[in-house]
Amino acid sequence: MGHGRSGRAARAGEREGWRVMGRWCTAWRHAGSGGAGPQSAAPAPGRRSAPRRSTEPASRTGPESRTAAASRTAAESRTAVASRTASVRRLAVVTAVLATAGATATAVALPAGAAFAAGDAPGYAFADGAPRVEGTNAARDAAALTAGATYRSSLPRDGTLHYRLDLDAASDAYVSVTAVPGSAGEVTAVDGIRVSVQDAEGGSCSSDSATFGAAHSPRPVTAWGMREIAPGGNRCQEPGTYYVTVERARPQDSPPEDWDLELTVATEPRPAQAGATEAPEAWDSASPEAVPGDPEPRTGGNGFAHATPLGPGAWRDGIRPGQTLYYKVPVDWGRQIHATAELDGAREASGYATGALRLALHNPVRGEVDAAAKGYTGRPATVGLAALPPVAYPNRYATSGQVGAVRFAGDYYVVVHLAAQVAEDFGEGPFGLTLRVGLEGSARGGPDYAGESRPEGLFAVSAQDRAAAPESGSPDDDGLAMKAVAVGGIGTGSLLLAGLTVWTAAARRRAR
């Protein structure tokens, strides 16, 4: 997972502060090197140089002495004028540099959701350094995907792509595929992607699909597949070669251009000791109440790999039509997660966008757990996730897909999308977005795995995860860093201007 953008913004602000200081020093030197000082004054064009001060005794009163005195007076006058001119020029240059620094610090400190320019919403941010792999039309030619890795690929409109998995008989394997269509093409409600995992003979291990839904809004869609080692299972239990297939759900109505893909592969080892083989039946299924309190600013990421860490609490962001924001919440074994998304009203409440505000939850292997959407009329709208059980290993044995998806601890992803069609009636935004994230229950110990997951630590919550996801109402490192950058920039500018004022006054007194 990539670092939070707030952390990168803080480091960028710090570097910018040093660059500003460098520009200030350079500007100071250049402003003073133009011949304005008493020792470096250059004669103006067409004007004679000031005569050198006489070393004659001041008691001389003859014509030559009077001439020398007049020359000294003229020279001192010109020097004073040049000094004051240099002071003004230096002050103007430094003020301009400080103004630029202030604008830069403000831009760095603003949440990205509030600083977007008019136009298209930002696209999907793929995992940094992910290698490209090409899917093949024939399974026998398929390239291998390695557990723990993330890849990039592309999906044409027609045909089915194949990728190969080499699996053992001691781990469950999970594959996620995120398809990113272009923003220009029109999509239908039932279009999207279909992902399946098959054994070497073509037998199906699992199948999943993800579609764009009633909003008809192009957005990243994610489907997942799995190969599970299940008690009493009679298919897909053997070690060997397996295949991942990816295709469009409705190719005949799909846009003609290729879609970018991001693929991940993860493995989960079996428990060292066998446990329950049925999902828990008793859990609080009442609809959770929204988390109260005033929201604090937190800027969402533009992809799974760049999701912004969140803890329980209320959070504030901005979102544009067509944009998808990603956040991740560390969820321990035994805890229940719930979330709501609130969209502010528009300036003109006239019109309607179907399924405009979409809220989804994905588990640590990016499988979708639950999703809900709400239409938008320009008035404030709220959408919430369904009640979910506490995270538990035996949830995988449930018949409900929602319950089965909360089968392991780790980072759960809260994903918010605002339909592109909102811009037609209500403008380009950004629109105010409030997320309220709750975690109920007490953390418990998880299964004693017989090996390591790939990627390592995927199904656990570490101390670093908790530290990176502050709760609202508590300070976080990124927030403090940004405040330090802003206050430091303002304070430094104020001190410099104060110092320049004193220096200028002193220079004028010396000139007089």
Side-chain angles (χ1 to χ4, degrees):
M1 299 295 175
H3 292 294
R5 286 167 46 190
S6 298
R8 293 195 299 273
R11 291 189 292 273
E14 181 181 355
R15 291 193 298 270
E16 183 61 25
W18 287 110
R19 285 196 293 267
V20 168
M21 181 60 71
R23 291 200 301 270
W24 182 87
C25 295
T26 301
W28 181 275
R29 291 195 302 270
H30 287 177
S33 64
Q39 297 180 4
S40 60
R47 182 177 296 178
R48 293 181 301 169
S49 301
R52 299 178 61 182
R53 292 191 62 176
S54 174
T55 57
E56 297 285 337
S59 59
R60 295 185 60 179
T61 57
E64 294 181 359
S65 299
R66 288 194 297 272
T67 301
S71 298
R72 287 196 301 271
T73 301
E76 291 171 353
S77 177
R78 285 193 295 271
T79 300
V81 171
S83 178
R84 289 194 297 272
T85 302
S87 300
V88 173
R89 182 161 60 244
R90 283 171 173 157
L91 182 60
V93 171
V94 173
T95 301
V97 172
L98 291 175
T100 303
T104 303
T106 301
V108 170
L110 283 175
F116 292 136
D120 292 341
Y124 185 83
F126 291 88
D128 297 332
R132 293 199 66 90
V133 60
E134 297 300 329
T136 60
N137 294 325
R140 64 178 178 274
D141 301 324
L145 304 180
T146 302
T150 300
Y151 299 90
R152 290 194 61 176
S153 190
S154 59
L155 177 66
R157 180 173 67 177
D158 298 311
T160 301
L161 298 183
H162 295 78
Y163 306 88
R164 191 178 83 247
L165 298 174
D166 296 318
L167 304 178
D168 59 29
S171 302
D172 292 341
Y174 304 94
V175 179
S176 77
V177 182
T178 299
V180 184
S183 59
E186 295 184 1
V187 298
T188 65
V190 295
D191 195 10
I193 60 169
R194 184 180 296 109
V195 174
S196 64
V197 177
Q198 302 172 353
D199 61 21
E201 287 72 38
S204 177
C205 305
S206 72
S207 180
D208 184 42
S209 61
T211 60
F212 298 110
H216 295 246
S217 179
R219 60 178 175 84
V221 291
T222 302
W224 63 317
M226 66 187 77
R227 193 290 305 260
E228 297 178 281
I229 303 296
N234 54 14
R235 178 179 291 179
C236 302
Q237 304 295 294
E238 301 298 324
T241 299
Y242 291 80
Y243 297 99
V244 179
T245 67
V246 184
E247 59 187 336
R248 298 201 191 185
R250 185 79 175 175
Q252 61 270 36
D253 298 326
S254 195
E257 70 271 10
D258 290 356
W259 291 350
D260 288 328
L261 298 180
E262 184 172 73
L263 301 93
T264 66
V265 183
T267 56
E268 179 192 23
R270 305 298 294 171
Q273 295 182 349
T277 57
E278 294 183 357
E281 295 182 0
W283 56 276
D284 185 4
S285 59
S287 298
E289 295 182 2
V291 175
D294 295 330
E296 297 184 9
R298 198 73 169 167
T299 303
N302 289 330
F304 283 107
H306 302 277
T308 299
L310 290 183
W315 308 98
R316 186 72 171 166
D317 204 346
I319 188 169
R320 283 195 177 280
Q323 187 181 9
T324 305
L325 296 177
Y326 293 77
Y327 312 84
K328 61 180 179 181
V329 182
V331 183
D332 274 299
W333 299 100
R335 305 208 72 183
Q336 290 175 276
I337 181 174
H338 59 89
T340 60
E342 304 167 3
L343 188 67
D344 288 357
R347 293 181 180 178
E348 296 184 4
S350 177
Y352 182 73
T354 303
L357 179 62
R358 186 180 191 272
L359 175 66
L361 180 70
H362 294 251
N363 63 24
V365 296
R366 305 187 182 182
E368 186 173 280
V369 178
D370 185 40
K374 187 71 173 290
Y376 188 60
T377 62
R379 296 179 176 84
T382 300
V383 63
L385 298 174
L388 297 168
V391 172
Y393 186 90
N395 284 341
R396 66 193 62 212
Y397 304 123
T399 56
S400 166
Q402 290 179 342
V403 175
V406 287
R407 60 178 61 197
F408 22 53
D411 286 331
Y412 279 72
Y413 299 89
V414 177
V415 182
V416 183
H417 176 75
L418 185 62
Q421 289 81 349
V422 170
E424 297 176 4
D425 291 327
F426 307 105
E428 296 289 342
F431 296 84
L433 174 69
T434 299
L435 279 179
R436 299 186 184 275
V437 179
L439 287 175
E440 306 296 336
S442 300
R444 303 173 185 170
D448 182 16
Y449 285 121
E452 285 290 344
S453 65
R454 295 289 182 269
E456 186 174 347
L458 183 62
F459 305 119
V461 176
S462 66
Q464 291 82 359
D465 294 332
R466 293 187 180 91
E471 299 184 14
S472 63
S474 63
D476 62 277
D477 293 340
D478 289 342
L480 291 175
M482 293 313 302
K483 290 177 183 177
V485 170
V487 173
I490 294 171
T492 301
S494 300
L495 289 174
L496 288 173
L497 286 175
L500 284 172
T501 302
V502 174
W503 178 84
T504 302
R508 289 175 176 172
R509 285 196 298 270
R510 286 195 300 271
R512 287 195 299 269

